[in-house]
């Protein structure tokens, strides 16, 4: 069941597109060698500045890669459907390329499945690579999409994602390779990322592999594994993050979590250390059939600062642990300012350091009806920031 309702946008199927760098929207033919955009089909390499139009109903039918030096611009209101049931359907942006996906609250940009009955894992997701540092090196190959990433440019610019929805992502290639909703590999802090939603994903919602990119207003609903994940020396700031698992969404890994923070899984002392800052976060479980392994697992050398977080399990839903800093590959350190817990969210598992206290409350989150959730002002994320996505919630077994 889809539990994050998006704004309905009716798109006409019009076989026009633009690949001009001056945004004149002329109707021109795609290069015979393949420019990644052929009518309303997206597949292959985009090697020159190109634009997707809201008036065209696009379908991704294979891997799409924006090559170094090219920029892909996507108009507000564009809906892009991905061919379902395959692991080679995704959108990738190479190091040195850009994506400008700048939607609006009224006309978001939507990436979704083309299936008549869509489900988590129908297609890959969005993969962006940059030149910002990773503690794995300066020419690392991404887990999926085969992109090189990493470098020394902390202020690298990969473009913009604003008011973007990605749903039914997380295609699994094998036991070691699985797409996230949106993956940031070495993405720098000149990249603009705000007001993004990942919904009904089979693996992680949003994951950062090194890099310095900052993210504001990020909502992960119904995620099979970790809602928010980082590793390899990520040092950006995440502000106003809301993760929720609805009742009825039972796709789950063996250890789904709200936050999973690693620095380096083979050397916890590798530089740069993951040192993110998170401001205003809510991790909410509404599903009594799936227990979250942890609200936050901070490990493998990570040093995280979290200001104003709420761990909440509503009714008979639960977490196994609240905060876990213990790991056999290296413990973690977390500093808390204004941390709250509501419901059955377990206790803290200390191996590393937890600096700061968690206050138990009863009113951080309330569910006045089956399709709304209300948050107490000043506790965790500001949910009003996501009203543009028309989110809904399922609570029946409480």
């Amino acid at each position: 069941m889809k539990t994050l309702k998006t704004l309905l946008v009716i798109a006409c199927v019009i076989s026009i597109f633009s690949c001009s760098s001056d945004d004149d929207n002329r109707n021109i033919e795609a290069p015979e060698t393949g420019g990644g955009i052929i009518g309303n089909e997206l597949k292959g390499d985009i090697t020159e500045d190109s634009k997707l139009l809201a008036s065209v109903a696009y379908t991704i039918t294979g891997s799409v890669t924006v090559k170094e030096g090219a920029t892909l611009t996507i108009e507000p209101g564009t809906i892009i459907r991905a061919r379902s049931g395959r692991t080679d359907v995704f959108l990738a942006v190479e190091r040195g390329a850009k994506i400008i996906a700048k939607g609006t609250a009224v006309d978001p940009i939507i990436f979704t499945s083309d299936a008549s009955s869509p489900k988590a894992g129908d297609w890959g997701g969005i993969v962006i690579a940059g030149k910002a540092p990773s503690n794995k090196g300066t020419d690392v190959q991404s887990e999926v999409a085969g992109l090189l990433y990493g470098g020394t440019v902390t202020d690298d610019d990969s473009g913009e994602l604003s008011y973007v929805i990605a749903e039914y992502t997380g295609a699994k290639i094998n036991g070691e390779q699985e797409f996230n909703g949106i993956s940031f590999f070495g993405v720098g802090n000149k990249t603009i990322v705000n007001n993004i939603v990942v919904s009904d994903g089979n693996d992680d919602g949003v994951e950062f592999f090194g890099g310095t990119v900052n993210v504001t207003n990020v909502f992960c609903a119904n995620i099979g594994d970790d809602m928010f994940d980082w590793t390899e020396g990520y040092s950006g700031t995440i502000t106003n993050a809301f993760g929720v698992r609805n009742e009825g969404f039972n796709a789950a890994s063996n250890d789904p979590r709200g936050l999973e923070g690693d620095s380096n899984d083979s050397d916890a002392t590798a530089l740069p250390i993951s040192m993110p800052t998170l401001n205003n976060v809510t991790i909410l479980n509404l599903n009594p059939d799936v227990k979250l392994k942890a609200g936050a697992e901070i490990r493998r050398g990570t040093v995280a600062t979290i200001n104003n977080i709420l761990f909440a399990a509503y009714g008979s839903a639960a977490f196994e642990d609240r905060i876990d800093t213990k790991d056999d590959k290296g413990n973690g350190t977390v500093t808390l300012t204004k941390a709250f817990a509501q419901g059955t969210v377990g206790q803290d598992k200390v191996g590393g350091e937890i600096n700061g206290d968690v206050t138990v409350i009863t009113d951080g989150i309330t569910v006045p009806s089956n399709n709304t959730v209300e948050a107490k002002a000043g506790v965790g994320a500001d949910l009003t920031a996501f009203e543009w996505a028309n989110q809904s919630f399922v609570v029946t077994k409480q």
Side-chain angles (χ1 to χ4, degrees):
M1 177 177 181
K2 182 183 174 186
T3 54
L4 179 70
K5 296 185 292 186
T6 60
L7 301 175
L8 297 179
V9 180
I10 301 174
C12 299
V13 181
I14 303 175
S15 295
I16 61 174
F17 62 93
S18 170
C19 291
S20 67
S21 60
D22 57 3
D23 287 347
D24 60 6
N25 292 339
R26 292 173 297 169
N27 296 337
I28 60 177
E29 296 295 327
E32 291 182 1
T33 55
I37 308 171
I38 303 175
N40 66 341
E41 182 179 5
L42 307 180
K43 181 180 180 180
D45 293 339
I46 296 176
T47 58
E48 59 187 43
D49 291 355
S50 304
K51 189 171 186 177
L52 302 185
L53 307 178
S55 57
V56 179
Y58 295 99
T59 300
I60 301 176
T61 60
S63 62
V64 180
T65 303
V66 185
K67 303 296 286 184
E68 181 179 3
T71 296
L72 175 64
T73 300
I74 306 176
E75 283 190 338
T78 303
I79 298 177
I80 302 168
R81 291 179 172 81
R83 185 65 48 83
S84 62
R86 291 168 51 179
T87 61
D88 63 343
V89 177
F90 57 85
L91 173 62
V93 181
E94 282 191 346
R95 186 171 58 177
K98 289 184 180 181
I99 181 171
I100 306 295
K102 191 174 181 180
T104 68
V106 175
D107 291 312
I109 294 166
I110 301 173
F111 292 84
T112 189
S113 168
D114 73 345
S116 56
S117 298
K119 63 183 185 303
D122 268 357
W123 65 291
I126 300 171
V127 183
I128 303 176
K131 302 175 184 178
S134 161
N135 61 32
K136 292 285 189 177
T138 57
D139 288 297
V140 194
Q141 187 171 48
S142 60
E143 175 184 322
V144 293
L147 305 183
L148 292 179
Y149 68 97
T152 60
V153 186
T154 58
D155 62 349
D156 191 33
D157 183 358
S158 295
E160 178 171 355
L161 296 180
S162 294
Y163 292 100
V164 171
I165 296 170
E167 52 189 17
Y168 308 114
T169 59
K172 186 173 184 177
I173 299 171
N174 55 45
E176 298 297 323
Q177 294 176 293
E178 192 167 11
F179 285 91
N180 305 305
I182 306 177
S183 300
F184 297 94
F185 288 91
V187 175
N189 61 27
K190 276 195 175 177
T191 309
I192 298 171
V193 183
N194 61 65
N195 296 293
I196 59 174
V197 172
V198 177
S199 169
D200 298 275
N202 204 44
D203 193 39
D204 298 334
V206 178
E207 184 163 5
F208 305 88
F209 297 82
T212 56
V213 64
N214 303 313
V215 179
T216 301
N217 296 338
V218 52
F219 180 16
C220 290
N222 297 335
I223 303 301
D225 196 24
D226 307 314
M227 298 170 181
F228 309 98
D229 197 341
W230 66 80
T231 186
E232 298 185 16
Y234 173 62
S235 62
T237 297
I238 301 171
T239 300
N240 207 52
F242 178 33
V244 60
R245 175 179 285 269
N246 274 285
E247 186 174 322
F249 183 79
N250 293 328
S253 67
N254 293 328
D255 49 9
R257 307 174 180 91
L259 309 177
E260 181 183 271
D262 296 347
S263 190
N264 188 296
D265 58 7
S266 57
D267 178 5
T269 66
L271 299 177
I273 296 291
S274 288
M275 300 184 69
T277 298
L278 290 83
N279 302 314
N280 307 330
V281 181
T282 293
I283 304 298
L284 173 62
N285 188 9
L286 298 174
N287 191 334
D289 299 320
V290 178
K291 181 184 290 188
L292 295 185
K293 183 176 184 293
E297 189 148 338
I298 309 299
R299 62 184 187 178
R300 299 177 184 175
T302 288
V303 180
T305 299
I306 305 178
N307 304 309
N308 188 18
I309 187 167
L310 170 65
F311 302 109
Y314 191 79
S316 55
F319 296 8
E320 182 178 327
D321 297 312
R322 186 168 59 194
I323 302 171
D324 183 359
T325 60
K326 184 177 182 180
D327 189 83
D328 58 5
K329 293 184 179 180
N331 297 328
T333 299
V334 58
T335 298
L336 303 170
T337 303
K338 287 183 66 179
F340 305 93
Q342 174 183 340
T344 306
V345 296
Q347 299 299 312
D348 299 334
K349 185 182 290 183
V350 180
E353 296 181 31
I354 300 177
N355 302 310
D357 299 322
V358 179
T359 302
V360 176
I361 59 177
T362 60
D363 58 349
I365 283 284
T366 57
V367 184
S369 69
N370 263 15
N371 65 352
T372 61
V373 166
E374 293 182 356
K376 185 176 181 179
V379 177
D382 175 9
L383 305 192
T384 64
F386 308 107
E387 288 179 352
W388 63 272
N390 197 23
Q391 68 269 21
S392 63
F393 305 89
V394 180
V395 183
T396 59
K397 297 181 181 178
Q398 303 302 322

